[in-house]
């Protein structure tokens, strides 16, 4: 997998649907890795590495045209960070509210019913294009989270 394919895959997995990624990450990505490797060799173990210094070292190796194209990558990374921080704030606010849930009363039974029609759940089994194993994993995770929450509440009393 190329740097570009890896970047696109990671970005696509985390960006909201309305955000499209169109960047050419490969060259700057490689230069940052090279500058980081140099800094890590130069620094004593356990000392911090200056991130801005690494960024500048990589940036100076680009031509003005490459710098212009690399801005897309930098904007994407920064905007991704802003989106992540916003999502973290939303989740923290929701988590602080004991009554908050994203599930509607019928969601879990309806999802479980979808799986009840599946005879074998393996890597190839899909429901409307969604791997049945993923749906099963989500339902199992919700059960586990609810069980852990119940255990915590019992321990608190």
């Amino acid at each position: 997998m190329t740097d570009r394919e890896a970047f696109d895959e990671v970005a696509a997995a985390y960006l909201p649907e309305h955000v499209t990624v169109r960047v050419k990450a490969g060259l700057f990505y490689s230069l940052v890795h090279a500058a980081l490797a140099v800094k890590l060799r130069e620094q004593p173990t356990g000392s911090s590495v200056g991130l801005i210094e690494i960024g500048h070292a990589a940036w100076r190796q680009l031509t003005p045209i490459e710098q212009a194209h690399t801005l897309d990558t930098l904007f994407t990374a920064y905007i991704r960070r802003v989106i992540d921080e916003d999502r973290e704030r939303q989740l923290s606010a929701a988590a602080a509210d004991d009554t908050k849930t994203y599930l509607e009363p019928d969601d879990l039974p309806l999802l479980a019913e979808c799986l009840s029609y599946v005879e074998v759940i393996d890597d190839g089994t899909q429901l409307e294009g969604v791997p049945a194993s993923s749906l099963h994993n989500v339902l199992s995770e919700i059960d586990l989270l609810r069980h852990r929450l119940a255990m915590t509440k019992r321990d608190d009393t």
Side-chain angles (χ1 to χ4, degrees), residues 91-102:
L91 288 172
S92 293
D97 180 356
D98 289 341
T99 62
K100 176 65 179 163
T101 180
Y102 292 103

Side-chain angles (χ1 to χ4, degrees), residues 5 23 27-28 55 63 82 112 114 118 126 136 153:
E5 290 167 339
V23 295
L27 180 59
F28 189 65
T63 67
V82 170
C114 288
V118 178
Q126 293 196 356
H136 180 266
K153 286 183 178 180

Side-chain angles (χ1 to χ4, degrees), residues 4-24:
R4 168 57 191 247
E5 290 167 339
F7 180 83
D8 286 350
E9 185 176 308
V10 170
Y14 292 102
L15 289 173
E17 281 183 29
H18 62 277
V19 177
T20 305
V21 178
R22 292 188 188 100
V23 295
K24 187 174 183 177

Side-chain angles (χ1 to χ4, degrees), residues 115 121 123 131-145:
L115 281 181
I121 296 177
D123 291 339
S133 59
S134 295
L135 181 55
H136 180 266
N137 291 343
V138 167
L139 291 172
S140 297
E141 185 69 19
I142 290 170
D143 281 342
L144 179 59
L145 290 171

Side-chain angles (χ1 to χ4, degrees), residues 48-108:
S48 64
V49 177
L51 300 179
I52 293 174
E53 190 177 336
I54 291 168
H56 280 280
W59 186 258
R60 284 190 298 270
Q61 294 181 57
L62 298 171
T63 67
I65 300 241
E66 291 168 336
Q67 288 175 345
H69 289 294
T70 300
L71 281 176
D72 289 343
T73 304
L74 298 175
F75 290 153
T76 300
Y78 186 77
I79 292 167
R80 175 70 256 154
R81 180 178 175 177
V82 170
I83 290 169
D84 287 345
E85 288 172 356
D86 286 346
R87 181 68 180 144
E88 178 64 29
R89 278 191 291 278
Q90 292 168 356
L91 288 172
S92 293
D97 180 356
D98 289 341
T99 62
K100 176 65 179 163
T101 180
Y102 292 103
L103 297 173
E104 297 293 327
D106 293 335
D107 285 348
L108 293 178

